[in-house]
Amino acid sequence: MREWDIVIIGAGSVGCCVARDAAMRGLRTLLIERRKVAAGTSSRNQFNLVSGVRYVVCNPEVAAECQRENHVLRRIAPHLIGHQRDLFVCLDHVEYCNAAEQNAKRYGVTLRNVSLDEATRRVPYLPRKIYKVFETDDTYFNAVRFCHSNLKAALQHGATFIKDCNILAMEKGKVVTTKGTFRTRSVVNAAGFLCNQVARLAGFKVEMVLNLGAFGLFKRKLISTGVQKLAPPGDGDAYKPLMKRATLGTTSVTVEEDAWEDALAEVRRRREEIVDYLKEKFSSVIPKVKDEEVLTVVAGIRPLVRSGDEQDGRKISRRFVLIEHSEWMLTITGGKLVTSRLMAERAVDVVCRHLGVEAKCKTADVVLP
Ligand SMILES: Cc1cc2nc3c(=O)[nH]c(=O)nc-3n(C[C@H](O)[C@H](O)[C@H](O)COP(=O)(O)OP(=O)(O)OC[C@H]3O[C@@H](n4cnc5c(N)ncnc54)[C@H](O)[C@@H]3O)c2cc1C
């Protein structure tokens, strides 16, 4: 039976980045996905190339990491990234705004002051009474194509991908799946919000918090610039143009590990109520959103990792977490789309260390297909 150096579980943005990195370093790489590429949260999000501004007050180190990776992705994936930078609008959270400006300067996060004239030229629907407006490096990011591009690069470097393949059991040296048993020297668990379920198959545990987020998809976009509230992170604070349409999100509700499917079904049932709630929340920034037609509500589950006893999903850090369960298996999860490449780099560094391989990461320097 053929032996792999690395079996990666989950073809979301993180798993696809791990596959690309591992294959580029010459590892015999197998990526396994229970459904298809980007079947999980990587296709059910607001497609925002986060700059870190959103976290610059509550978690400036995470913000700085997002900003650095934002620049890396602009370099290696220019074809997946929009040109219009988002505006962050501060209505009346003066103290928060001042703290954001201070931290942005200190941690190298882009926050460029924009005059109210320029802001209203780009977004004619803004209210008259605004404290400040900033341009940031947040913009549109095609998250699904990002997964496919990483997978394509991995395949070009000799990786193998198997979809519709579920894991049944795992132990040191082998992974048993619905499509056969694979011998491997290491396993990387990149199963997103299902990381704990996968870790359990090998007798390990990950303290996951499943945080459901929902957003409305509008029939048309009002503007070509994304607009977000500069205020403590909350519900309904980001309006993002998406091709000819736009999204408004999100909500944040923590769900039990065994109840996520019911929670997603509940979102579909409460669609109207959620849309009205999000519109109400954002109408202080763009009152006109209240008149816009919403096609549907999309929901996904954020893979967050608890570090203390936080109950509120908004308060759980968006840092990523790498857990070395043993010398043959690790879990990489948390983070944001924008940090997927970096998460993969860290994970493959650990795998290479265990395998005694001395290849350097090249993913930040090579443009994606
Ligand atoms: C509403 C919402 C909006 C968001 N907006 C943004 C945003 O604008 N910008 C941003 O940066 N981030 C955003 N995020 C966060 C971001 O989407 C996630 O952090 C990211 O997509 C997680 O990627 P992942 O690869 O870890 O997980 P996933 O994309 O969920 O991938 C995990 C994969 O593992 C597979 N899998 C699971 N179990 C198994 C198994 N047993 N065997 C094989 N395969 C398995 C799944 O099918 C899935 O394909 C948002 C999240 C939500 C919920």
Side-chain angles (χ1 to χ4, degrees), residues 10 12-14 33-34 41-42 45-46 48 166 191-192 213 300 336-337:
S13 61
V14 175
E33 163 58 46
R34 70 181 186 133
T41 314
S42 297
N45 63 77
Q46 271 196 294
N48 182 23
N166 220 331
K336 301 293 289 179
L337 288 166

Side-chain angles (χ1 to χ4, degrees), residues 287-344:
K288 199 169 162 47
V289 290
K290 281 193 166 181
D291 308 327
E292 290 299 292
E293 187 184 337
V294 170
L295 294 173
T296 188
V297 169
V298 181
I301 314 261
R302 296 181 183 92
L304 305 182
V305 182
R306 202 189 295 280
S307 53
D309 60 354
E310 316 94 334
Q311 298 302 320
D312 179 356
R314 295 256 179 236
K315 298 225 164 82
I316 297 176
S317 166
R318 268 35 173 185
R319 79 200 161 98
F320 67 79
V321 174
L322 189 157
I323 304 165
E324 292 185 54
H325 301 290
S326 70
E327 81 288 356
W328 65 272
M329 178 167 174
L330 67 83
T331 290
I332 181 86
T333 191
K336 301 293 289 179
L337 288 166
V338 74
T339 51
S340 303
R341 189 214 62 83
L342 179 63
M343 293 164 74

Side-chain angles (χ1 to χ4, degrees), residues 9-15 32-50 141 165-167 190-194 197-198 201 211-215 250-251 298-303 332-340 343:
I9 300 168
S13 61
V14 175
I32 290 175
E33 163 58 46
R34 70 181 186 133
R35 291 168 63 202
K36 57 179 186 170
V37 179
T41 314
S42 297
S43 60
R44 309 183 73 78
N45 63 77
Q46 271 196 294
F47 279 37
N48 182 23
L49 185 73
V50 170
F141 176 56
C165 178
N166 220 331
I167 315 294
F193 69 89
L194 295 174
Q197 221 177 66
V198 169
L201 293 172
N211 182 259
L212 185 147
F215 57 90
T250 63
T251 59
V298 181
I301 314 261
R302 296 181 183 92
I332 181 86
T333 191
K336 301 293 289 179
L337 288 166
V338 74
T339 51
S340 303
M343 293 164 74

Side-chain angles (χ1 to χ4, degrees), residues 71-90:
H71 285 167
V72 172
L73 295 195
R74 283 174 183 278
R75 209 168 55 229
I76 66 165
H79 50 306
L80 308 180
I81 290 170
H83 301 297
Q84 292 261 9
R85 285 171 155 80
D86 287 12
L87 296 182
F88 271 67
V89 177
C90 177

Side-chain angles (χ1 to χ4, degrees), residues 261-275:
E261 282 163 309
D262 291 344
L264 291 177
E266 173 82 3
V267 168
R268 287 191 288 275
R269 274 195 299 277
R270 292 181 42 224
R271 174 182 173 276
E272 306 286 334
E273 192 190 322
I274 292 168
V275 166

